[in-house]
């Protein structure tokens, strides 16, 4: 009995009768359902408000719109210039993620497989960056961008994103490289391949799972960040998605800032990420789980 | 001699691998942090050429006179304690429930997890809408079901605002904690539960004696992460209350923004940054001690 | 597991993606500033011709006025037709305007032109171009007196003194504003038989407000915005200690003087007793603005003054607001107060601009030329003497136009506010604190005084 069932049911349920089992399951689903409802409710509000006719949400407080106003989406799309926002967010995110993956894997390989002076001190220096979040160092980051003349360019965003993303990426990737068997390299070394060739042709392809993890973790954070774009860019044509949402009402004129438009924009901003999430659920989960740095 | 240099170069060729990343890291992180320490000793508006050296005066003012700073520290502590405690307990509990083989498991998990994928700007605007005074959904619903006495001005009541914001933060990060706990729980061999069941341990005792200790490594990592996030809390305060009313929901990072970018007290903001960095450093040292000797697995 | 990831990103894809992204970022960063992705080609083609671009930063309400009768934004088109200039408009969220200026001006990445908000631009006057030379070259030595009204001029002088350039001009005055003038919904007042012209003292006004409160109606619709708080405070000081704010600015008094302290308490009273519950924290103004403008609410008054921002909203994009402006709302000065006339927004040229000729063209057009006339035609008074608001031939003329335009030129309505940015920011913090009872009026006044002493004391000239 125990041999055939243990993976189907959890142990305590096994010990009890079927009646108790059903009661437990009802309770379990009750709890989970109500929590899920709380978690989902704000999204329902967002969707329902985004579908209401402009101005309706202040009179109609129910979740069901009186009429479905799909024109909100085209209006918000036009007012906020969504293609431009998406383009900017994509450029910044893609460039940051790619650079993080490249620089971090390079450094992690060095840390994992090569010896050089100050190796562990430098590694520790990188690890110290794990504690840093942009909010804590917004003043110096801003000053650096002033000094480099980067303000109001993509570099003012990409530079800090790379620097802030490196510690986590190096931590993950070094661990991954160290887990790979050393024999893989030996043959290539004997053939006279350079270290860089080994890293690029042999090791990097093997680290894809770790790269994907890092890409998801840093990519999501970059895509969603608004602090740096808000501080470092001013020109409208550099606006990213989250910043576009913050500044949205400025574009729509004054007086009636239409909640319905704003929530239409919110839906348009959130939906693609959710779709990507649903498609790549497993990668997402593992990416973010690694974000907690398993001990 | 040349031979020795060449050997030294080859022995240290690993440096070349680390160097590109290191340069960016030093340029954007290390150097500016040193500059922050330096700036915190000056009265400086952040852009004019003249600055006045005042030694440690900013720090003295911070710890003796600045009411807003005291409130910030208090609020950051609230934030850290509440989020870490609540998310540890409920995050673990829900993960444990979801670890059972039940129907709709993926749906529940996705529902919990969705806020994690959204930008805090989206979350902030949505909750601002919910928290509106008088006509907002929360107040409206409470009134409708006869809980008038519970209605508050959620985002402008000095006793309530910071907690209203922390609730949003809980909502936004619960899914993340659940998913991480879930991953840890799935790594616990199911046989262990079976053995415990044979020994007569059931339900809660099983969770407490097997699942909790075996996921302790993950829990500690989450605590550190939760602490770091709480110390650096900024976005939700910026979006929901701007620290008001009168500093009641202020946090250190938001104060930095106010001082540096709205009133141009860059020197003072630098001192605040230094304090924030030092607090983070203490937490991080704990983390490094935790990580020492462990290999990171995916 | 690994197979999954292999599909996810192969090394070749990784390479290709890096190349594309890096090239894209480089290209985008180096592209001409005005270029939007779909316009890049068009811009490249026109780059050979003379540079007609001009960049301007503004907060929302200062720009929402340039509209035709149907409310369509025609500002950019009209500018192009009149002067040939292409305006690139950067909108800045008002509460973050200081942050934006700081992020751009010192680094030289700012715009060519600024709409100046006097509460915020304080630390940045050093970055704008002095205009005397430009003005004299264009109009001769007495150009300022010839062109601009007294209320506008007095403020220009104070600004020049503050930055230690007495006699200079740092901006050209654009729209004028009046504080302390309340909007009210005429039909509601008529129903109740209330006649604002009978208000003689502040107490008369309070009695009317109290009558609404007794009927369970909070008569003033309020919402939370730092600028609105400060506007109310400034207006209330004109009741409790008329003119005292301007005195404080030059060192003849302090915020802790009893008259100004009383204004803190009065501010709290107005917000706690006469506005709806939670007004101090209602960050979203729609919930009160909307019912006010469309006449569907019970509250006959709204917490914004006629001067800012709805003075010139006869051509607002919202038909409801246009209708309200033309037919349903009236105004009166808070009884007992002296009104505050001031420049709502000036136009300043950024010293680091590389297109100063264009900038100057724009400034002339916007403050003295056809642009200014166009704005005046929407009901907005201007700082330029020669430009008048034409009659609208609706009830606007009698309800809003005459009283306000008369007040603009009458002796009591003069410039009397503090220009120190830190005072403005500090007021925005302490006023809610007094209102919800976290600090006393005295403590609040002291904090504001401290902010002034710390940051703007050098303004106090002996």
């Amino acid at each position: 009995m125990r041999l055939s069932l243990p993976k189907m049911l959890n142990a305590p349920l096994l010990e009890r009768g079927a009646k108790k089992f059903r009661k437990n399951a009802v309770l379990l689903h009750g709890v989970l359902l109500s929590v899920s409802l709380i978690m989902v409710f704000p999204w329902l509000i967002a969707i329902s408000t985004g579908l209401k006719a402009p101005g309706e949400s202040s009179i109609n407080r129910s979740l069901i719109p009186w009429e479905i106003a799909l024109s909100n989406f085209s209006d918000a799309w036009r007012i906020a210039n969504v293609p431009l926002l998406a383009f900017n967010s994509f450029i910044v995110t893609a460039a940051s993620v790619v650079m993080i993956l490249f620089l971090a894997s390079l450094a992690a390989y060095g840390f994992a497989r090569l010896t050089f002076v100050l190796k562990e001190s430098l590694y520790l220096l990188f690890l110290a960056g794990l504690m840093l979040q942009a909010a804590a160092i917004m003043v110096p980051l801003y000053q650096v961008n002033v000094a480099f003349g980067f303000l109001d360019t993509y570099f003012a965003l990409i530079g800090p994103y790379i620097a802030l993303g490196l510690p986590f990426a190096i931590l993950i990737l070094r661990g991954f490289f160290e887990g790979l068997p050393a024999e893989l390299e030996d043959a290539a070394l004997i053939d006279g391949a350079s270290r860089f060739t080994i890293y690029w042709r042999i090791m990097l392809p093997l680290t894809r799972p770790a790269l994907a993890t890092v890409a998801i973790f840093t990519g999501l954070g970059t895509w969603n960040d608004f602090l740096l774009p808000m501080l470092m860019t001013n020109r409208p044509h550099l606006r990213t998605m989250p910043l576009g949402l913050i500044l949205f009402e400025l574009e729509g004129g004054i007086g009636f800032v239409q909640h319905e438009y704003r929530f239409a924009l919110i839906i348009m901003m959130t939906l693609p990420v959710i779709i990507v999430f649903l498609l790549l659920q497993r990668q997402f989960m593992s990416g973010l789980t690694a974000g907690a740095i398993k001990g | 001699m040349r031979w020795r240099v060449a050997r030294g170069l080859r022995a240290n060729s690993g440096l070349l691998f680390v160097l590109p990343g290191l340069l960016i890291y030093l340029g954007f992180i290390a150097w500016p942090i040193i500059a922050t320490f330096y700036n915190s000793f000056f009265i400086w508006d952040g852009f004019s050429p003249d600055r006045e050296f005042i030694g440690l005066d900013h720090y003295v003012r911070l710890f003796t006179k600045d009411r807003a700073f005291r409130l910030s520290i208090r609020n950051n502590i609230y934030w850290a304690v509440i989020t870490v405690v609540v998310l540890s307990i409920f995050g673990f509990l829900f993960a444990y429930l979801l670890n059972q083989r039940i129907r709709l498991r993926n749906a529940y998990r996705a529902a919990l997890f969705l806020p994690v994928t959204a930008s805090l700007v989206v979350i902030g605007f949505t909750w601002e809408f919910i928290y509106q005074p008088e006509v907002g959904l929360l107040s409206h619903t409470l009134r409708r079901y006869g809980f008038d006495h519970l209605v508050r001005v959620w985002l402008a009541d000095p006793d309530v605002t910071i907690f209203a914001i922390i609730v949003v933060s809980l909502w936004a990060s619960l899914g993340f904690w659940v998913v991480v706990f879930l991953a840890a729980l799935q790594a616990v061999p199911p046989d262990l539960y079976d053995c415990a069941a044979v020994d007569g341990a059931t339900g809660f005792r099983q969770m407490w004696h097997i699942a909790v200790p075996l996921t302790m490594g993950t829990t500690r990592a989450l605590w550190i992460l939760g602490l770091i996030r709480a110390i650096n809390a900024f976005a939700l305060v910026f979006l929901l209350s701007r620290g008001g009313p009168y500093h009641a929901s202020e946090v250190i990072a938001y104060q930095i923004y106010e001082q540096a970018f709205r009133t141009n007290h860059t020197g003072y903001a630098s001192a605040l940054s230094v304090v924030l960095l030092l607090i983070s450093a203490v937490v991080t040292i704990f983390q490094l001690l935790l990580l020492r000797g462990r290999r990171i697995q995916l | 597991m690994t197979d999954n990831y292999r599909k996810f990103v192969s090394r070749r894809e990784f390479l290709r993606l890096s190349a594309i992204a890096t090239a894209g970022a480089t290209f985008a960063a180096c592209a001409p500033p005005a270029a939007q992705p779909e316009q890049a080609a068009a811009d490249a083609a026109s780059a050979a011709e003379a540079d007609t671009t001009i960049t301007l930063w503004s907060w929302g309400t200062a720009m929402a006025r340039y509209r035709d009768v149907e409310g369509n934004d025609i500002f950019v088109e009209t500018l192009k037709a009149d002067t040939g200039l292409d305006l690139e408009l950067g909108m800045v969220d008002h509460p973050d305007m200081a942050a934006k200026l700081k992020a751009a001006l010192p680094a030289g990445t700012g715009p060519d032109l600024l709409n100046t908000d006097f509460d915020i631009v304080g630390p940045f006057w050093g970055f704008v171009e002095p205009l005397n030379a430009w003005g004299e070259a264009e109009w001769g030595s007495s150009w300022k007196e010839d062109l601009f009204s007294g209320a506008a001029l007095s403020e220009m002088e104070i600004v020049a003194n503050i930055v230690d350039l007495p006699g200079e001009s740092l901006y050209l005055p654009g729209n004028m504003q009046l504080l302390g003038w309340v909007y009210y919904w005429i039909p509601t007042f008529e129903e109740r038989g209330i006649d604002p012209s009978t208000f003689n003292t502040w107490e008369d006004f309070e009695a009317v407000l109290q009558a609404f409160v007794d009927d369970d109606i909070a008569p003033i619709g309020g919402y939370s915005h730092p600028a609105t708080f400060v506007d109310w405070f400034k207006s209330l000081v004109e009741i409790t200690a008329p003119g005292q704010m301007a005195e404080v600015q030059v060192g003849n008094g302090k915020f802790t003087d009893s008259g100004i302290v009383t204004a803190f308490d009065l501010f709290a009273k107005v917000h706690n007793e006469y506005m709806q519950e939670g007004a101090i924290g209602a960050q979203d103004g729609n919930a009160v603005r909307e019912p006010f403008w469309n006449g569907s609410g019970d509250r006959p008054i709204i917490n914004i003054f006629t001067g800012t921002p709805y003075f010139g909203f006869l051509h607002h994009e919202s038909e409801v607001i246009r209708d309200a402006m033309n037919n349903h709302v009236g105004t009166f000065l808070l009884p007992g107060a002296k009104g505050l006339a001031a420049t709502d927004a000036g136009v300043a040229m950024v010293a680091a601009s590389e297109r100063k000729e264009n900038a100057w063209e724009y400034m002339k057009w916007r403050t003295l030329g056809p642009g200014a006339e166009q704005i005046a035609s929407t009901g907005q008074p201007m700082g330029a003497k020669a430009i008048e608001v034409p009659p609208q031939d609706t009830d606007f003329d009698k309800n809003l136009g005459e009283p306000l335009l008369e007040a603009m030129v009458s002796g009591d309505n003069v410039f009397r506010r503090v220009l120190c940015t830190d005072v403005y920011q500090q007021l925005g913090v302490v006023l809610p604190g007094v209102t919800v009872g976290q600090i006393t009026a005295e403590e609040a006044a002291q904090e504001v005084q401290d902010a002034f002493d710390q940051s703007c004391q050098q303004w106090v000239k002996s």
Side-chain angles (χ1 to χ4, degrees), chain A residues 194-238:
Chain A
S194 77
R195 276 292 178 180
F196 185 81
T197 312
I198 293 174
Y199 150 77
W200 188 247
R201 298 218 171 270
I202 299 175
M203 299 302 270
L204 200 58
L206 291 172
T207 52
R208 263 178 234 142
L211 290 178
T213 299
V214 172
I216 283 170
F217 186 71
T218 49
L220 190 64
T222 310
W223 182 269
N224 283 337
D225 181 58
F226 76 95
L227 178 61
L228 292 185
M230 183 178 82
L231 291 179
M232 311 297 179
T233 67
N234 304 293
R235 295 176 199 273
H237 74 273
L238 287 175

Side-chain angles (χ1 to χ4, degrees), chain B residues 126-168:
Chain B
T126 308
W127 280 85
E128 189 195 320
F129 189 67
I130 294 170
Y131 277 146
Q132 279 180 87
E134 201 183 31
V135 293
L137 252 145
L138 184 57
S139 300
H140 180 75
T141 313
L142 285 174
R143 284 213 176 86
R144 187 156 155 206
Y145 294 103
F147 296 104
D148 295 51
H149 58 287
L150 291 179
V151 172
R152 294 284 183 282
V153 185
W154 305 105
L155 296 178
D157 181 327
D159 301 325
V160 171
T161 305
I162 185 66
F163 299 108
I165 298 173
I166 292 174
V167 164
V168 182

Side-chain angles (χ1 to χ4, degrees), chain B residues 64 97 285 290:
Chain B
T64 57
L97 294 180
I285 287 169
L290 271 175

Side-chain angles (χ1 to χ4, degrees), chain C residues 443-457:
Chain C
E443 287 171 311
Q446 187 60 53
E447 289 207 30
V448 176
Q449 183 65 39
D450 289 346
F452 181 79
D453 289 344
Q454 201 193 332
S455 307
C456 304
Q457 207 193 6

Side-chain angles (χ1 to χ4, degrees), chain A residues 88-89 92-93 96 141 145 150-164 222 225-233 238-240 243, chain B residues 28:
Chain A
N88 285 332
S89 279
V92 170
T93 309
S96 306
L141 279 181
N145 277 326
F150 282 168
L151 281 190
D152 250 343
T153 65
Y154 289 111
F155 297 120
L157 306 177
I158 297 170
Y161 284 141
I162 295 173
L164 285 163
T222 310
D225 181 58
F226 76 95
L227 178 61
L228 292 185
M230 183 178 82
L231 291 179
M232 311 297 179
T233 67
L238 287 175
R239 237 172 247 173
T240 58
L243 189 61
Chain B
F28 277 99

Side-chain angles (χ1 to χ4, degrees), chain A residues 185-195 197-198:
Chain A
E185 295 165 80
D186 293 345
L189 269 178
I190 293 165
D191 288 350
S194 77
R195 276 292 178 180
T197 312
I198 293 174

